[in-house]
Amino acid sequence: MPEVIFNGPAGRLEGRYQPSKEKSAPIAIILHPHPQFGGTMNNQIVYQLFYMFQKRGFTTLRFNFRGIGRSQGEFDHGAGELSDAASALDWVQSLHPDSKSCWVAGYNFGAWIGMQLLMRRPEIEGFISIAPQPNTYDFSFLAPCPSSGLIIHGDADKVAPEKDVQGLVDKLKTQKGILITHKTIPGANHFFSGQTESLLMECEDYLDRRLDGELVPEPAAKRIR
C-alpha cells in the first residue's frame, strides 16, 4: 500500500493510502489509538480495519496523528487531532471528487476523534467505534448523532468500563432516524488481547450487512392527517 505524505494543519502528516479502482467508491478513514500511549497507524487493529475496508472496494486511508512517526507537530489533546482527521478526509476527497460517501472507524482515542468528525461532515454515512472511553472523553457533542454505526467493546475492559459504554449507547439509542448497533466481545479487555479475530469478525459482519442495505433505521411513522 502506498506511503503518502500530505499537508495537515500543523505540518506534514504521514499515511498509508489505497485508492479503489472505482472512481465513485466510498472513502474509509481509520483513526488510531492515543498518541501518548503508543498509538500509531500501525496498530494491529487499525491495520486490520484498513484491510477490511480495502477488501470491500473502499478508497482507504490510515495516518499518524501529529507528532507520531513522520507526522509533524505535537500532541494537542484532541482539538488538533480532529483537525488532522478533517485534513486527511479533505486530502482523499481532493483525489476522489466523484466519491460521495465516507465511513470513519476509530479505536480508543481514535473512536472519540472519529465521532467528532462525524458531527462535522454530513457525507460520513457510517461509523465503527471500537472501545470508546466515555469515562475519559466527553461525548456530549453527539446531540444528535447524525449517522448510524457500530459501537463495540469488551466486557472485561478496565480502561473503558462496560457501564460507561452502555450509558453512551443508551443515550444514542433514544435518537430517531439512526440505528446504533452495540456489540460486546465476551472476555475481551481494552486491547482485545487474543480476541482481535472476534472483534474483526463482528466489524466485518456489521459492514457487510450495512453494504447489503440492512441495519438501517425504521422510517418515521407518517402522521395521520
Side-chain angles (χ1 to χ4, degrees), residues 1 14-17 28-35 38-54 60-65 68 104-111 128 130 190-192 196 199-200 203:
M1 66 201 69
E14 171 191 21
R16 298 289 182 277
Y17 158 71
I29 294 214
I30 324 298
L31 304 176
H32 70 71
H34 202 296
T40 79
M41 68 174 173
N42 294 322
N43 171 277
Q44 189 58 29
I45 290 171
V46 171
Y47 174 83
Q48 295 290 354
L49 289 170
F50 179 97
Y51 188 58
M52 173 185 82
F53 280 104
Q54 187 217 320
T60 312
L61 174 73
R62 69 185 204 269
F63 70 96
N64 279 328
F65 287 124
I68 297 298
V104 62
Y107 169 32
N108 168 272
F109 176 85
I128 295 176
I130 297 173
H190 191 66
F191 308 99
F192 298 91
T196 307
L199 169 69
L200 288 160
C203 292

Side-chain angles (χ1 to χ4, degrees), residues 67-144:
I68 297 298
R70 293 167 61 201
S71 290
Q72 295 177 322
E74 294 178 1
F75 179 66
D76 192 37
H77 306 281
E81 287 75 17
L82 175 56
S83 296
D84 293 344
S87 292
L89 183 51
D90 288 343
W91 179 78
V92 183
Q93 288 175 330
S94 72
L95 298 175
H96 299 270
D98 294 327
S99 181
K100 299 293 181 268
S101 69
C102 176
W103 278 64
V104 62
Y107 169 32
N108 168 272
F109 176 85
W112 181 53
I113 300 296
M115 299 293 271
Q116 291 179 77
L117 187 65
L118 186 75
M119 293 297 294
R120 292 182 166 207
R121 306 297 283 256
E123 68 271 30
I124 298 178
E125 64 179 21
F127 69 87
I128 295 176
S129 190
I130 297 173
Q133 293 174 253
N135 54 315
T136 303
Y137 305 117
D138 183 4
F139 280 84
S140 62
F141 57 82
L142 291 169

Side-chain angles (χ1 to χ4, degrees), residues 94-213:
S94 72
L95 298 175
H96 299 270
D98 294 327
S99 181
K100 299 293 181 268
S101 69
C102 176
W103 278 64
V104 62
Y107 169 32
N108 168 272
F109 176 85
W112 181 53
I113 300 296
M115 299 293 271
Q116 291 179 77
L117 187 65
L118 186 75
M119 293 297 294
R120 292 182 166 207
R121 306 297 283 256
E123 68 271 30
I124 298 178
E125 64 179 21
F127 69 87
I128 295 176
S129 190
I130 297 173
Q133 293 174 253
N135 54 315
T136 303
Y137 305 117
D138 183 4
F139 280 84
S140 62
F141 57 82
L142 291 169
C145 179
S147 302
S148 299
L150 170 68
I151 294 177
I152 184 164
H153 61 108
D155 67 2
D157 191 333
K158 301 277 196 297
V159 179
E162 189 174 15
K163 67 176 176 56
D164 294 291
V165 179
Q166 187 65 56
L168 173 63
V169 169
D170 291 346
K171 180 184 164 193
L172 296 181
K173 280 193 168 181
T174 63
Q175 294 183 18
K176 302 280 191 275
I178 62 162
L179 183 66
I180 300 298
T181 301
H182 178 213
K183 295 285 184 178
T184 306
I185 309 287
N189 62 19
H190 191 66
F191 308 99
F192 298 91
S193 308
Q195 301 268 30
T196 307
E197 202 170 308
S198 300
L199 169 69
L200 288 160
M201 281 173 61
E202 290 286 4
C203 292
E204 287 177 345
D205 178 66
Y206 177 78
L207 181 57
D208 288 340
R209 290 177 71 186
R210 281 288 301 272
L211 295 176
D212 285 343

